[in-house]
Amino acid sequence: MYNSPIAIEHSRTLKAVNTVGALIEGCGIPLFELDRRRILAKAAKAAGHSYADDGLTEGLDRLIASIKADARLNAFGKFAFKTLLQRMADVRFKVERAIAERPEILDDPITEPLFIIGMPRSGTTILQALLNQDAAHRSPLCWECLLPHPAPTPESYRSNDRIDTIRTEFDQLFKLVPDFRRKHYMEADSPQECIGVMALNFTSFQFMAQAYLAGYSEWFFEAADQAANFRWHRRFLQFLQSGGVRTSRWLLKSPVHLMRLQALFEVYPDARIIMTHRHPAYVVPSAASLISSTRSLYSNHEAVERSGREQLRLWARYFDRFLEDRQRLDREDQIVDVLFDDFVDDQMAVVRQIYDRFGWRLDAGSAGRMEAFLRQEAKDKHGKHDYSLEMIGVQPAEVETHYGSYLEFLGGLDQAPQRKLA
């Protein structure tokens, strides 16, 4: 295991599984080979429905090729990815069967969805969970993205066997990687990022967070059809609401939307955007720390400094594309900017500013639930997340160089942080 300057705890069970797996492979016995045709054939059998989509097929092909070329998975990682990809294919085919049986699902409108985007580790997760306390909002929940079929009904939305299954799986994950919970808020019934939806299209940052996938990452940024990816995203939301669980607007979130703003507005022209901001000198090491924790579960060759340098460059590229798209699209009346420091200082004040900007009403009941949520999910509830540029081998000057455009943009915002780290 790479000697990481960032604490990454693993359970004895995980270490034992990987030791046994390494011994088996050392005897020349391969473990858990991935094959796209076999995965999709099993999915068709499990769903009782055949489905063909060029984007899905290309994404799965690119992903499998990169896993084989780049990821260097351990025994647990090979088993986990094989299981994960099969589940995702099964789920996708079951959703497509439901839509084929009821094509009117696709006539149901998605009106003025709210997207939270911005650099990772800039408060997007907690902001989504907070806004989801409003009865007017509906986020896809973690369990819904993992086991969505059949579409939840008002009677099954809060309690069903699928939620219990995902809760058990999350508990197992937290035991395998004990430090994960202090780095990222996640519960079976908490809001899920859009990466969980788009993973069902095999075109998602989720896989890059789980393993080092250099080839897949480059294809994802440069060549993947992100408009088609959002069309699947919309299709999935229409499926979810077909069970009758409805609110005024969908509440959605992913920092990855930074690099596909044009595609987002192409599919959701009336979308509302909350853009969160934090100095990249904090964003980069925090993101690298979280990703290293996750990747170390699946590979014995995770290198924090490699992941740190990757995150340094990747999010700079994502933001530069966002800046170009935002200027070209000129939809400023649909975008509100939120500074991380302001949100930390007074979350409810920021919430009210967002509502004022978009002309929404925050009722007393929803406000009360938000305040109760903030008390319940206090900062560092599961332990403090320690990270720094030094821990990932990145110099402050490199941040200034890579994020020049972003820092200039921050400087143009009212009360933007002007501090430069030396």
Side-chain angles (χ1 to χ4, degrees):
M1 180 70 68
Y2 180 81
N3 185 21
S4 170
I6 294 177
I8 299 176
E9 304 174 36
H10 287 157
S11 70
R12 291 181 180 179
T13 301
L14 179 61
K15 293 176 183 177
V17 168
N18 288 327
T19 298
V20 172
L23 290 173
I24 293 173
E25 289 194 313
C27 296
I29 303 173
L31 293 174
F32 313 117
E33 288 296 319
L34 295 173
D35 180 86
R36 185 255 298 171
R37 291 181 179 83
R38 190 175 304 165
I39 290 171
L40 297 184
K42 286 184 177 180
K45 183 177 181 180
H49 177 75
S50 295
Y51 178 72
D53 179 87
D54 290 341
L56 179 151
T57 300
E58 181 181 11
L60 186 53
D61 278 339
R62 296 278 185 172
L63 177 58
I64 290 174
S66 191
I67 288 172
K68 292 178 177 179
D70 306 321
R72 301 182 70 184
L73 300 178
N74 55 30
F76 175 84
K78 291 177 181 179
F79 170 77
F81 263 92
K82 183 177 178 64
T83 303
L84 176 68
L85 298 189
Q86 190 62 61
R87 172 191 269 181
M88 289 177 171
D90 293 354
V91 163
R92 176 64 184 271
F93 277 42
K94 288 176 182 177
V95 169
E96 295 298 345
R97 186 190 73 190
I99 293 173
E101 292 171 348
R102 293 179 55 204
E104 67 273 14
I105 286 173
L106 301 183
D107 296 329
D108 206 2
I110 305 291
T111 305
E112 294 189 357
L114 174 62
F115 286 85
I116 302 171
I117 67 176
M119 292 291 187
R121 320 304 292 164
S122 63
T124 56
T125 299
I126 293 299
L127 179 57
Q128 182 189 19
L130 182 62
L131 294 180
N132 199 51
Q133 305 304 310
D134 188 337
H137 291 153
R138 159 113 154 85
S139 287
L141 304 182
C142 286
W143 73 267
E144 287 185 287
C145 294
L146 291 167
L147 295 173
H149 185 271
T153 64
E155 295 76 23
S156 67
Y157 184 57
R158 294 297 179 187
S159 179
N160 62 62
D161 292 342
R162 287 176 284 167
I163 300 176
D164 295 336
T165 296
I166 300 306
R167 186 172 289 116
T168 298
E169 292 181 4
F170 282 6
D171 287 343
Q172 292 169 346
L173 169 65
F174 300 147
K175 289 176 182 176
L176 290 172
V177 186
D179 68 334
F180 185 88
R181 293 194 83 175
R182 69 171 172 260
K183 298 181 180 182
H184 185 66
Y185 169 77
M186 186 174 74
E187 303 290 347
D189 56 356
S190 66
Q192 173 60 301
E193 295 191 29
C194 297
I195 62 171
V197 176
M198 289 166 164
L200 300 176
N201 198 41
F202 297 106
T203 306
S204 175
F205 188 88
Q206 175 177 321
F207 306 114
M208 293 179 271
Q210 293 173 294
Y212 177 71
L213 301 171
Y216 182 83
S217 178
E218 192 63 21
W219 168 80
F220 180 81
F221 180 77
E222 292 290 353
D225 188 339
Q226 298 296 346
N229 214 14
F230 268 114
R231 286 192 290 273
W232 153 247
H233 182 277
R234 183 185 185 94
R235 189 180 183 92
F236 183 73
L237 298 186
Q238 289 171 314
F239 163 76
L240 284 187
Q241 67 187 23
S242 71
V245 181
R246 297 170 177 273
T247 56
S248 299
R249 71 184 67 88
W250 280 97
L251 169 63
L252 307 150
K253 173 252 179 178
S254 178
V256 183
H257 295 332
L258 277 170
M259 53 78 73
R260 52 192 178 201
L261 189 68
Q262 182 170 331
L264 189 158
F265 277 124
E266 180 179 329
V267 176
Y268 297 108
D270 59 351
R272 301 294 184 265
I273 305 290
I274 301 173
M275 174 72 185
T276 58
H277 300 278
R278 190 183 186 189
H279 198 292
Y282 301 103
V283 167
V284 171
S286 181
S289 173
L290 175 61
I291 283 177
S292 279
S293 288
T294 307
R295 288 177 174 178
S296 72
L297 178 62
Y298 303 101
S299 173
N300 292 341
H301 303 279
E302 167 55 19
V304 170
E305 290 190 359
R306 180 186 65 185
S307 291
R309 198 149 294 282
E310 174 197 43
Q311 297 305 298
L312 171 73
R313 297 188 179 104
L314 182 146
W315 291 104
R317 293 176 75 190
Y318 282 18
F319 185 81
D320 285 346
R321 177 178 286 181
F322 167 81
L323 201 59
E324 293 172 4
D325 287 348
R326 180 169 177 172
Q327 187 172 16
R328 181 174 60 254
L329 292 168
D330 190 24
R331 291 177 176 265
E332 292 305 304
D333 59 329
Q334 294 172 246
I335 301 174
V336 61
D337 296 289
V338 172
L339 300 178
F340 177 79
D341 290 343
D342 290 347
F343 184 62
V344 170
D345 288 343
D346 193 335
Q347 292 93 341
M348 290 306 298
V350 167
V351 167
R352 290 188 173 90
Q353 290 167 8
I354 292 169
Y355 278 57
D356 288 346
R357 171 65 182 275
F358 291 138
W360 300 335
R361 176 181 173 272
L362 180 61
D363 64 88
S366 295
R369 287 190 296 274
M370 290 181 185
E371 291 165 352
F373 171 82
L374 290 172
R375 291 192 296 270
Q376 177 183 345
E377 295 297 329
K379 181 177 171 57
D380 301 331
K381 174 181 177 180
H382 298 289
K384 186 178 180 181
H385 179 194
D386 292 321
Y387 55 85
S388 69
L389 288 175
E390 183 180 10
M391 288 180 177
I392 64 170
V394 172
Q395 299 298 317
E398 295 180 278
V399 175
E400 298 284 337
T401 298
H402 281 85
Y403 291 86
S405 297
Y406 181 50
L407 294 173
E408 183 179 352
F409 178 85
L410 274 180
L413 295 177
D414 290 341
Q415 300 176 336
Q418 302 294 324
R419 178 179 63 230
K420 292 185 177 181
L421 301 185

